[in-house]
């Protein structure tokens, strides 16, 4: 993309200065009480008294609000935005990937899950050294993402796909911890969404030395990153130690991101947008881009925080503010989709080194494999039903049957999506179909608490249909590039998950109930939810099976199906509609269940199956087996208490995913 835009330095400087002055003034006047602008002239900035001290106690209310609430919040937004902007430049420069940022590579998610787990397991250490705990989680996650991405391919898009998949997985772990330790982690849910609320200057005092120091250190690597942008071999020829430069740049970026997460939670996409804006203003060198991205990032985050405070006031005349991370994600994910649609101007965006596949671990007769899977599934369903008294059968059988049919629907949906995108990282939850359906249902549950099962089903279908329309539009704009399609789905999932967090914060009186359902559980399944799911699976799966030849041909590439007389666009649209319906009905029955659609096709392929004639029934049976076994374990592991089955599947899926990649069973098709 040609970012060269002529400008005068003086004009840009004055514009940035005026934007900053305006944003800071608005921020200091946007509080829980009407603030007179004249108060800002004589404000005692950086008061020497401690919170609650004599000076604070004798100040007028408005002065106290500005001094101890709005001023530290404004400074924190500026510091965190600058840190994320600098981190984004470093990550994009080190990876030569314009998609890369602390949010898309899982750095923020790793820091967040470390803080959550540390607050439960090591509360004293986490409370005293939050930056260290966050950095530990972030650096481990960064190493994991790079290792997994290199195990698949060296595609820059695959790097981001792995990072965002890890982000979704860690998000499920954080949600589970927040649900099971609700009292101990009180308030951490809102904080985790990126809450800039401050009550003193303690966070500012702890953060600014780290952010300033490592931003200055990053400037020393700017020249080396400029040379690396020419190519690793050329940079090596010019005397640059590429490995050390990349490693130190990523290390500094992780430290900056961890500092932000440890103080205010997850702030997404600022590190993605700010470097692109800086490049768009003409900053071609890393040194100038680093400085300007810090300035832009600070302004972006402060503006997002102002919007998070103003929107509730304008909508409902309430002084409750949204987490700032919600606003940055709502803006940032569409910006990332915008970059996808303009991939032809950025060579690295559309560059893929090949397509990923799965090498079979062993070969079995497909019919024998189907028989074994069917027998295992029937035995497990029989055990789940036989371990209870007949008087409770009417309560248990809907759970077991809904788990089986939902697992089958998700397993087949994942298989079809992986075939269409020719990427084994794709699944209904990763593509945004189930996450958007969950969003619509959560909105309905909060706005209409007494909504019936039919209403839930309609909301789920509407959510999946909405996501499908967006993805089809994106696929048309990108020429149906499989990796870009999958990445667009991840962006959609990020937006939906963020909006769900916002809805849960606003409807806090129902958060616990919605969180359990959101994690994926058969606890509240009734006959009314089971019958529609049963009908959908019985009708749609045979239709898919009758299309097995077309699916076999579609996975061969983009041109061969057309030569064989297949109407590719119509076939793909029909398949995606079926996938959206199956995903919607499963979400309406058991909630948001992750990784079933990812694992089931993998398990079938490692047995040596290649034809969809066998893969479709095998994926259905495997998905049912996975979800039924998870439902059974959820009721027995910590009985009489119950773990949402979706959390067990997510945990098992994450472990399976990592082991499969590290074992080297992925192969490149060129």
């Amino acid at each position: 993309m040609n970012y060269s835009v002529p400008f005068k330095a003086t004009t840009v400087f004055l514009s940035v200065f005026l934007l900053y002055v305006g944003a800071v003034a608005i921020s200091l006047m946007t509080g829980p009480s009407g603030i007179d602008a004249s108060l800002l002239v004589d404000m005692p900035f950086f008061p020497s008294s401690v919170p609650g001290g004599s000076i604070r106690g004798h100040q007028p209310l408005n002065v106290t609000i500005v001094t101890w609430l709005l001023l530290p919040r404004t400074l924190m937004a500026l510091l965190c935005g600058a840190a994320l902007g600098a981190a984004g430049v470093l990550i994009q420069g080190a990876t030569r990937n314009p998609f890369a940022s602390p949010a898309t590579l899982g750095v923020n998610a790793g820091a967040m899950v470390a803080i959550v787990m540390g607050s439960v397991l090591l509360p004293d250490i986490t409370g005293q050294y939050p930056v260290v705990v966050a950095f530990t989680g972030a650096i481990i996650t960064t190493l994991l993402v790079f290792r997994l991405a290199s195990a698949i391919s060296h595609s820059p898009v695959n790097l981001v796909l792995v990072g965002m998949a890890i982000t979704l997985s860690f998000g499920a772990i954080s949600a589970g911890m927040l649900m099971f330790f609700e009292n101990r982690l009180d308030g951490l849910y809102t904080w985790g969404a990126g809450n800039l609320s401050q009550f003193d200057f303690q966070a500012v005092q702890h953060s600014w030395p780290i952010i300033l120091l490592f931003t200055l250190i990053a400037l020393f690597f700017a020249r080396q990153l400029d040379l690396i942008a020419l190519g690793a071999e050329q940079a090596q020829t010019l005397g640059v130690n590429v490995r050390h430069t990349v490693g130190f740049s990523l290390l500094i970026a992780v430290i900056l991101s961890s500092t932000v997460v440890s103080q205010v939670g997850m702030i997404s996409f600022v590190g993605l947008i700010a470097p692109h804006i800086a490049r768009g203003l003409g900053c071609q060198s890393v040194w100038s881009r680093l400085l300007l991205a810090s300035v832009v990032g600070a302004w972006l985050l402060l503006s997002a925080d102002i919007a998070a405070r103003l929107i509730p006031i304008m909508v409902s005349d309430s002084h409750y503010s949204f987490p700032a991370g919600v606003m940055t994600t709502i803006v940032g994910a569409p910006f990332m989709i915008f970059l996808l649609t303009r991939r032809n101007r950025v060579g690295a965006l559309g560059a893929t080194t090949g397509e990923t596949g799965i090498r079979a671990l062993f070969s079995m007769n497909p019919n024998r494999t189907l028989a074994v899977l069917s027998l295992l599934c029937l035995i497990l369903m029989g055990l789940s039903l036989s371990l209870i008294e007949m008087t409770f059968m009417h309560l248990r059988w809907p759970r077991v049957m809904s788990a089986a049919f939902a697992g089958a629907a998700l397993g087949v949906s994942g298989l079809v999506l992986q075939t269409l995108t020719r990427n084994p990282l794709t699944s209904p939850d990763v593509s945004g179909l189930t996450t958007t359906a969950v969003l619509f249902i959560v909105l309905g549950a909060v706005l209409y608490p007494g909504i019936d099962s039919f209403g839930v089903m309609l909301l789920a279908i509407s959510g999946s249909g909405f996501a499908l329309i967006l993805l089809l539009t994106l696929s048309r704009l990108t020429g149906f590039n499989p990796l870009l399609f999958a990445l667009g789905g991840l962006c959609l999932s990020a937006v939906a998950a963020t909006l769900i967090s916002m809805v849960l914060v606003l409807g806090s009186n129902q958060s616990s109930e919605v969180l359990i359902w959101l994690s994926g559980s058969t606890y509240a399944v009734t006959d009314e939810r089971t019958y529609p799911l049963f009908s959908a699976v019985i009708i749609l799966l045979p239709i898919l099976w009758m299309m097995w030849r077309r699916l076999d041909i579609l996975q061969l590439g983009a041109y061969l199906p057309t030569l064989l007389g297949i109407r590719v666009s119509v076939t793909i649209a029909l398949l995606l509609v079926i996938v959206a319906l199956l995903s919607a009905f499963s979400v309406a029955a058991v909630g948001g269940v992750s990784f079933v659609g990812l694992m089931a096709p993998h398990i079938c392929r490692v047995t040596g199956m290649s034809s969809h004639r066998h893969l479709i029934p095998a994926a259905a049976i495997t998905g049912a087996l996975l979800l039924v076994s998870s439902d059974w374990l959820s009721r027995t592991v910590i009985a009489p208490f119950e773990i949402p089955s979706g959390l067990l599947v997510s945990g098992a899926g994450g472990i399976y995913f990592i082991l499969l990649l590290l074992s080297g069973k992925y192969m490149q098709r060129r």
Side-chain angles (χ1 to χ4, degrees), residues 166-401:
I166 294 295
T167 297
L168 293 176
S169 178
F170 281 6
I173 296 175
S174 299
M177 298 288 289
L178 291 170
M179 182 177 63
F180 282 107
F181 300 96
E182 183 178 0
N183 295 329
R184 193 180 304 182
L185 300 176
D186 184 31
L188 204 58
Y189 191 84
T190 305
W191 172 85
N195 189 7
L196 289 167
S197 297
Q198 303 292 319
F199 302 100
D200 52 39
F201 291 88
Q202 183 177 359
V204 175
Q205 293 170 351
H206 289 170
S207 302
W208 78 262
I210 300 176
I211 293 174
L212 178 61
L213 173 63
F214 284 97
T215 302
L216 293 176
I217 293 175
L219 294 175
F220 289 99
F221 294 96
R223 179 59 180 168
Q224 289 88 332
L225 290 175
D226 282 330
L227 296 177
I228 290 177
L230 302 175
E233 294 182 359
Q234 293 184 7
Q236 195 79 34
T237 304
L238 295 173
V240 177
N241 191 324
V242 176
R243 185 174 182 180
H244 288 174
T245 301
V246 170
F248 280 117
S249 299
L250 292 175
L251 180 64
I252 294 172
V254 169
I255 293 174
L256 292 173
S257 304
S258 303
T259 304
V260 173
V261 174
S262 66
Q263 300 299 331
V264 300
M266 286 184 61
I267 304 290
S268 301
F269 290 103
V270 172
L272 174 72
I273 300 175
H276 283 278
I277 293 178
R279 187 186 289 271
L281 291 175
C283 296
Q284 298 299 322
S285 67
V286 174
W287 187 89
S288 60
R289 195 159 65 245
L290 186 67
L291 293 178
L292 187 55
S294 299
V295 174
V296 172
W299 183 84
L300 284 174
L301 186 53
L302 181 59
S303 301
D305 186 51
I306 293 172
R309 285 179 273 164
L310 285 177
I311 290 177
I313 296 176
M314 294 186 295
V315 173
S316 60
D317 197 22
S318 171
H319 292 289
Y320 183 87
S321 64
F322 295 139
V326 171
M327 304 305 299
T328 59
T329 302
I330 292 174
V331 175
F335 179 83
M336 189 170 181
I337 294 176
F338 169 76
L339 291 180
L340 293 175
T341 62
R342 302 175 70 85
R343 76 199 189 288
N344 58 326
R345 296 189 182 180
V346 183
L349 296 185
T352 57
T353 57
E355 298 160 8
T356 53
I358 300 177
R359 182 182 294 115
L361 297 177
F362 52 90
S363 180
M364 292 180 59
N365 184 284
N367 295 324
R368 184 177 301 175
T369 303
L370 287 174
V372 172
L373 291 174
S374 301
L375 182 61
L376 288 175
C377 188
L378 291 174
I379 291 174
L380 185 58
M381 292 176 64
L383 287 174
S384 299
L385 292 173
S386 63
L387 293 178
I388 60 173
E389 299 179 9
M390 293 301 296
T391 54
F392 298 104
M393 185 65 71
H394 69 286
L395 298 176
R396 186 60 55 81
W397 84 264
R399 296 189 59 170
V400 176
M401 298 304 294

Side-chain angles (χ1 to χ4, degrees), residues 293-563:
S294 299
V295 174
V296 172
W299 183 84
L300 284 174
L301 186 53
L302 181 59
S303 301
D305 186 51
I306 293 172
R309 285 179 273 164
L310 285 177
I311 290 177
I313 296 176
M314 294 186 295
V315 173
S316 60
D317 197 22
S318 171
H319 292 289
Y320 183 87
S321 64
F322 295 139
V326 171
M327 304 305 299
T328 59
T329 302
I330 292 174
V331 175
F335 179 83
M336 189 170 181
I337 294 176
F338 169 76
L339 291 180
L340 293 175
T341 62
R342 302 175 70 85
R343 76 199 189 288
N344 58 326
R345 296 189 182 180
V346 183
L349 296 185
T352 57
T353 57
E355 298 160 8
T356 53
I358 300 177
R359 182 182 294 115
L361 297 177
F362 52 90
S363 180
M364 292 180 59
N365 184 284
N367 295 324
R368 184 177 301 175
T369 303
L370 287 174
V372 172
L373 291 174
S374 301
L375 182 61
L376 288 175
C377 188
L378 291 174
I379 291 174
L380 185 58
M381 292 176 64
L383 287 174
S384 299
L385 292 173
S386 63
L387 293 178
I388 60 173
E389 299 179 9
M390 293 301 296
T391 54
F392 298 104
M393 185 65 71
H394 69 286
L395 298 176
R396 186 60 55 81
W397 84 264
R399 296 189 59 170
V400 176
M401 298 304 294
S402 63
F405 285 109
L410 292 173
V412 174
S413 298
L415 172 67
V416 173
L417 286 174
Q418 290 176 15
T419 299
L420 294 180
T421 62
R422 300 188 294 279
N423 192 317
L425 298 175
T426 312
S427 66
D429 52 312
V430 173
S431 64
L433 296 177
T434 58
T435 314
T436 310
V438 168
L439 170 62
F440 275 57
I441 295 177
V442 169
L443 282 170
V446 172
L447 297 177
Y448 305 99
I451 190 171
D452 57 10
S453 299
F454 181 74
V456 170
M457 182 182 64
L458 289 181
L459 288 171
I461 294 175
S462 301
S464 292
F466 178 73
L468 178 61
I469 292 173
L470 291 180
L471 291 176
L472 286 175
T473 303
L474 176 64
S475 67
R476 183 177 181 180
L477 293 174
T478 59
F480 204 79
N481 184 301
L483 291 179
L484 299 182
F485 178 87
L487 192 55
L490 280 170
C491 294
L492 183 60
S493 293
V495 174
T498 301
L499 292 176
I500 290 171
S501 301
M502 184 171 64
V503 173
L504 289 176
V505 170
L506 294 178
S508 55
N509 57 329
Q510 295 179 320
S511 293
S512 299
E513 178 184 352
V514 175
L515 265 178
I516 295 175
W517 179 86
L518 183 63
S519 303
S521 176
T522 59
Y523 178 77
V525 170
T526 60
D527 296 348
E528 296 178 353
R529 294 188 184 180
T530 303
Y531 292 139
L533 175 63
F534 172 80
S535 302
V537 172
I538 292 299
I539 294 173
L540 295 176
L541 286 193
I543 295 176
L544 275 179
W545 187 81
M546 288 188 292
M547 301 177 68
W548 66 268
R549 293 184 186 275
R550 297 187 181 186
L551 284 168
D552 282 347
I553 297 174
L554 284 175
Q555 66 182 347
L556 297 179
Y559 303 105
L560 186 59
T562 303
L563 295 177

